[in-house]
Amino acid sequence: MIKTQLHDDVLEVVIDNPPVNALGARVRQGLWAAIADAQTDTAVKAIVIRGAGKLLSGGADITEFGKTTAEPGLPELVDAIEASAKPVVAAIHGIALGGGLEVALGCHYRIATANTKLGLPEVTLGLLPGAGGTQRLPRVIGVEAALDMIVSGSPISGKRAADIGLVDRLAEEGTLLAEAISFARALDAPRRTGDVSVSADPAIFEAFAAQNARKIAGLDAPSACIKAVRAASELPIGQGLEKERALFAELVAGTQSKALRHVFFAERAAAKIDGMPKDIAMRSIDKVGVIGAGTMGGGISMNFLSAGIPVTIVEMAQEALDRGVSTIRKNYEATAAKGRLTADQVEKAMSLLTPSLAFDALADCDLVIEAVYENMDVKKDIFARLDGTAKPGAMLASNTSYLSVDEIATATKRPQDVLGLHFFSPANIMKLVEVVRGAETAPEVLATGMDLARRIGKAPVVSGVCYGFIGNRMLTPRLDGAIEMLVEGATPDQVDQVSVALGMPMGPLQMIDLAGVDIGWHRDPTRIESVRDALNAAGRWGQKTGGGFYDYDEKRRPSASAAAQAIVEQFRTEAGIAPREITDEEIVARTLYAIVNEGAKILEEGIAQRASDIDVVWLNGYGWPRHTGGPMFWAEQVGLEKVVDTLNRYRDRLGPGFSLSPLLAQCAAQGGSLFGDAGA
Ligand code: 3HC
């Protein structure tokens, strides 16, 4: 775990704990011993600390949080490094995150490669840097720069770190160690960050909190980070460190951090396919075809273009093709206008795009994704044609949101090559991709689909075949419940507020307005069978027409709509329903617990591999708030017994199609967990 080597009078200390050199108990003990021994070893004049493999360190061992672990703790270790009577230099390459950077801050000097990533991402785990980072970083780079790094959690490059004084020198990776050793040898004495004091106008902290109010609302960690950095500017280091530790202890025991740590591991677990051999040979995907240049087809194409993978996009009519290509360009140019892409990058991406009206242009693609509208006959027709066009071994994917990938696969003679790649709109932005495994999908096709989705920066989750897959199947009872409650007497605002209070960016009715009330509409204004039909018939298709369940102003801000209310009331009267008072508890049951119930069914049917995958779907595709961990984790925090009891009490209101998930009922009755023995 810790290796040492003496280079004449400089001791090299190497942290070697693959894969990320996490600072678990044994690493801390080893480092502690190495530093202590060096103090009494007269042969040692100075010390260099570095990481083995690709990085210095990914930080504290996250699996240890919430458990009692062996001494020394990371804060004590960093204090001991700083207290060393002999100069200590951190030689940083690859990554120094969280506790990894805090160790480097305890060192007296820092030397790094230009492309190293240095950061304090603890806030993304619902924590603050708890090993002195909030006290030492402001002392090194100033309060404002430290606030930015600590509250955003975003890393900076070694080059930038050198510019702002976080590292003393830059070096090439090949000579980093040698330079660190000669740098250390030339040092006369330690330079301790703790000896420095830093002051700041208290107004900075209030201004910073106000500027970031929207981003940090409802979250415990960012405000604790601000308090801790403020302490650095007001207290001597010893008291500041005490304050930091007290704030850290509160956060680590809190539900938000527990949830965010769950999310960290859930997102990594989602990448794993149960039963898949690790060394499975992937298919190589160097060229992608996309059928359909509409909103979805265009958005899907952008992911590949941005990742440097050429795309052939096929449409039936020139006008639709031109419109699709110009929308892609406009989207890229809008990003460039915000400074997030250069003009060259835009041109590079566009140069990888080949628009075509000819289906045959797909013949040399390694993967073809169909992104036309939701109609089984149309999709089967396309897959039958693809069967005659695509080269042998090409993967054939459908972007269907609801339809059976197995039925689509029957249109080909190669069902083993068929899978679903369900992107979410806007497909160039939303991270979720459901990778749908059909009954016949070959293992390497599924593995390649997952790998490719990660290559283009997505958060892929494996789903089995069922109507709506994981996400949309769970969405259905939520949206149905929301609309039914309007008819029964609730207002849109009342329904939506329950979700917003949980931390979602919007409630279910606002979401329908955003996506389009007319999605899936039969387009016959005389056939009115639902409130949605009635809104559509009145031209209230959502935000895009200025109104749906709400009215929208030119900035797309919602307000209560008298017109929508009148439509709902008319529908209510015609259905012979007397309005009644609807409680928040009922809204929770019908728009949130109903999702959990459907999720539990998805789990027991084996559609999702694990409960945490369901959480990843809702976190990355539906705006579920990360600090509550996802619907399944959240349900366990609420208590499964309470969830089941409430669902049972509202059973009559949950519609004729409702049935309680046996798995959920069983876990609730026996104190079990949807996450298996380990619990959430
Ligand atoms: N503790 C425990 N396990 C960790 C870990 C950590 N800090 N960081 C990564 N791992 C594990 C992952 O769970 C994964 O395990 P698996 O293979 O069993 O799924 C494995 O290491 C590899 O991780 P990634 O797949 O994420 O590897 P990448 O190469 O893609 O990314 C990384 C490397 C950028 C270091 C990324 O893992 C990362 O961001 N890690 C977390 C960084 C972080 O948040 N550090 C702060 C920790 S909190 C802290 O330090 C508190 C202190 O202030 C007191």
Side-chain angles (χ1 to χ4, degrees):
M1 295 253 163
I2 297 296
K3 295 179 181 142
T4 56
Q5 189 181 344
L6 195 59
H7 301 262
D8 298 327
D9 51 357
V10 176
L11 182 72
E12 175 197 5
V13 180
V14 186
I15 305 172
D16 188 2
N17 183 23
V20 302
N21 295 335
L23 302 163
R26 288 182 52 206
V27 170
R28 296 194 306 272
Q29 287 163 352
L31 269 175
W32 179 275
I35 299 293
D37 292 350
Q39 303 306 305
T40 51
D41 186 342
T42 49
V44 175
K45 178 173 182 276
I47 302 160
V48 169
I49 299 180
R50 71 170 184 95
K54 284 195 261 169
L55 74 171
L56 176 70
S57 169
D61 183 340
I62 303 170
T63 60
E64 285 184 351
F65 291 144
K67 300 179 189 151
T68 31
T69 58
E71 298 287 320
L74 195 55
E76 292 75 28
L77 172 65
V78 176
D79 292 351
I81 294 172
E82 186 171 66
S84 166
K86 302 182 179 180
V88 189
V89 173
I92 313 170
H93 77 297
I95 287 168
L97 291 180
L101 181 56
E102 291 175 298
V103 164
L105 281 163
C107 295
H108 305 137
Y109 293 88
R110 288 162 288 282
I111 172 165
T113 60
N115 58 4
T116 299
K117 282 206 228 160
L118 301 106
L120 294 171
E122 284 86 344
V123 72
T124 61
L125 296 169
L127 298 170
L128 52 70
T134 65
Q135 304 306 297
R136 292 193 179 91
L137 189 65
R139 286 175 158 83
V140 176
I141 64 171
V143 162
E144 278 163 289
L147 271 178
D148 263 344
M149 267 183 85
I150 293 171
V151 177
S152 75
S154 307
I156 61 171
S157 68
K159 160 91 179 53
R160 167 113 185 100
D163 289 345
I164 62 175
L166 175 55
V167 306
D168 300 282
R169 291 191 182 185
L170 291 177
E172 296 295 324
E173 190 158 337
T175 54
L176 177 68
L177 176 61
E179 289 195 39
I181 290 172
S182 49
F183 182 38
R185 184 169 291 133
L187 294 168
D188 293 328
R191 175 196 65 179
R192 298 191 179 90
T193 302
D195 294 343
V196 179
S197 64
V198 61
S199 62
D201 179 349
I204 288 177
F205 301 100
E206 274 119 50
F208 183 88
Q211 262 166 26
N212 292 283
R214 239 168 51 110
K215 268 191 244 158
I216 65 182
L219 300 177
D220 298 337
S223 50
C225 289
I226 297 172
K227 268 191 214 158
V229 175
R230 184 171 183 154
S233 72
E234 292 172 348
L235 301 173
I237 185 111
Q239 287 175 33
L241 288 171
E242 269 173 38
K243 172 97 185 166
E244 178 194 89
R245 276 159 215 182
L247 288 166
F248 183 88
E250 242 174 71
L251 290 176
V252 81
T255 53
Q256 291 191 2
S257 176
K258 196 173 172 213
L260 286 162
R261 274 148 33 212
H262 160 72
V263 171
F264 179 85
F265 290 113
E267 291 189 328
R268 279 153 183 85
K272 299 183 173 92
I273 308 168
D274 285 345
M276 184 72 65
K278 263 212 158 103
D279 54 354
I280 188 149
M282 304 269 181
R283 295 199 186 170
S284 62
I285 307 289
D286 301 317
K287 188 163 190 196
V288 173
V290 174
I291 304 173
T295 314
M296 280 317 281
I300 291 170
S301 301
M302 288 178 73
N303 292 300
F304 295 101
L305 299 173
S306 303
I309 302 170
V311 174
T312 299
I313 192 163
V314 171
E315 252 298 345
M316 285 188 340
Q318 188 69 46
E319 203 201 331
L321 187 62
D322 291 347
R323 204 179 324 120
V325 172
S326 86
T327 305
I328 293 177
R329 176 172 278 284
K330 259 190 246 148
N331 282 339
Y332 275 129
E333 284 175 351
T335 311
K338 288 182 201 143
R340 284 195 258 124
L341 279 180
T342 64
D344 276 357
Q345 286 170 316
V346 174
E347 293 316 317
K348 166 91 203 311
M350 290 307 293
S351 73
L352 293 172
L353 181 65
T354 309
S356 178
L357 292 175
F359 212 78
D360 289 350
L362 300 168
D364 64 345
C365 293
D366 304 307
L367 161 71
V368 181
I369 304 172
E370 162 278 310
V372 305
Y373 63 97
E374 287 286 270
N375 177 300
M376 183 54 90
D377 292 339
V378 174
K379 290 191 192 273
K380 279 169 104 170
D381 183 49
I382 286 177
F383 272 74
R385 285 178 69 194
L386 262 183
D387 205 22
T389 307
K391 66 182 185 187
M395 300 200 336
L396 311 179
S398 172
N399 178 51
T400 180
S401 315
Y402 286 95
L403 302 177
S404 166
V405 171
D406 289 335
E407 190 177 339
I408 294 173
T410 60
T412 73
K413 286 189 232 42
R414 32 175 142 170
Q416 74 282 0
D417 296 338
V418 177
L419 79 166
L421 285 177
H422 181 210
F423 289 80
F424 289 71
S425 187
N428 53 322
I429 293 170
M430 296 295 285
K431 287 202 70 170
L432 178 64
V433 176
E434 285 175 327
V435 180
V436 184
R437 168 190 229 160
E440 306 274 339
T441 307
E444 83 274 12
V445 168
L446 180 70
T448 306
M450 290 292 284
D451 184 64
L452 182 67
R454 277 170 73 88
R455 225 169 106 195
I456 59 172
K458 298 292 179 188
V461 174
V462 176
S463 173
V465 175
C466 66
Y467 187 73
F469 312 116
I470 298 173
N472 281 347
R473 173 167 161 189
M474 288 164 74
L475 185 65
T476 304
R478 170 172 167 81
L479 299 187
D480 289 352
I483 296 176
E484 282 158 16
M485 283 187 282
L486 290 189
V487 178
E488 292 164 28
T491 64
D493 194 50
Q494 192 192 351
V495 172
D496 283 338
Q497 271 317 306
V498 166
S499 293
V500 173
L502 187 73
M504 295 194 204
M506 64 186 83
L509 299 165
Q510 285 169 344
M511 189 186 136
I512 299 177
D513 276 356
L514 174 68
V517 184
D518 61 321
I519 285 186
W521 183 35
H522 47 59
R523 312 249 147 210
D524 176 356
T526 61
R527 212 175 103 200
I528 297 187
E529 289 157 356
S530 67
V531 171
R532 263 180 107 140
D533 287 346
L535 286 167
N536 282 324
R540 298 189 66 85
W541 296 1
Q543 285 194 15
K544 60 188 167 190
T545 58
F549 289 99
Y550 297 83
D551 289 336
Y552 293 86
D553 64 15
E554 63 292 342
K555 287 195 171 144
R556 298 203 164 192
R557 280 176 304 212
S559 59
S561 166
Q565 181 65 20
I567 289 171
V568 169
E569 277 170 17
Q570 189 184 351
F571 194 85
R572 182 186 294 151
T573 312
E574 281 166 11
I577 295 168
R580 61 183 174 82
E581 191 75 25
I582 304 225
T583 62
D584 281 0
E585 185 191 52
E586 179 170 348
I587 298 171
V588 168
R590 294 174 69 178
T591 61
L592 297 174
Y593 294 168
I595 300 184
V596 173
N597 185 57
E598 201 61 39
K601 287 185 184 173
I602 283 170
L603 191 59
E604 70 201 6
E605 289 168 22
I607 298 293
Q609 302 186 93
R610 43 188 97 84
S612 60
D613 281 9
I614 299 175
D615 286 339
V616 174
V617 164
W618 274 74
L619 295 165
N620 291 303
Y622 298 86
W624 190 282
R626 293 175 82 80
H627 66 277
T628 67
M632 310 312 272
F633 183 89
W634 172 77
E636 301 233 328
Q637 303 308 301
V638 167
L640 298 185
E641 231 186 306
K642 179 173 170 186
V643 171
V644 167
D645 170 63
T646 314
L647 284 170
N648 276 331
R649 278 189 289 113
Y650 289 97
R651 189 181 274 267
D652 295 345
R653 305 252 165 87
L654 288 160
F658 176 81
S659 66
L660 192 64
S661 147
L663 174 68
L664 184 62
Q666 187 198 339
C667 287
Q670 297 173 3
S673 165
L674 297 166
F675 292 82
D677 295 340

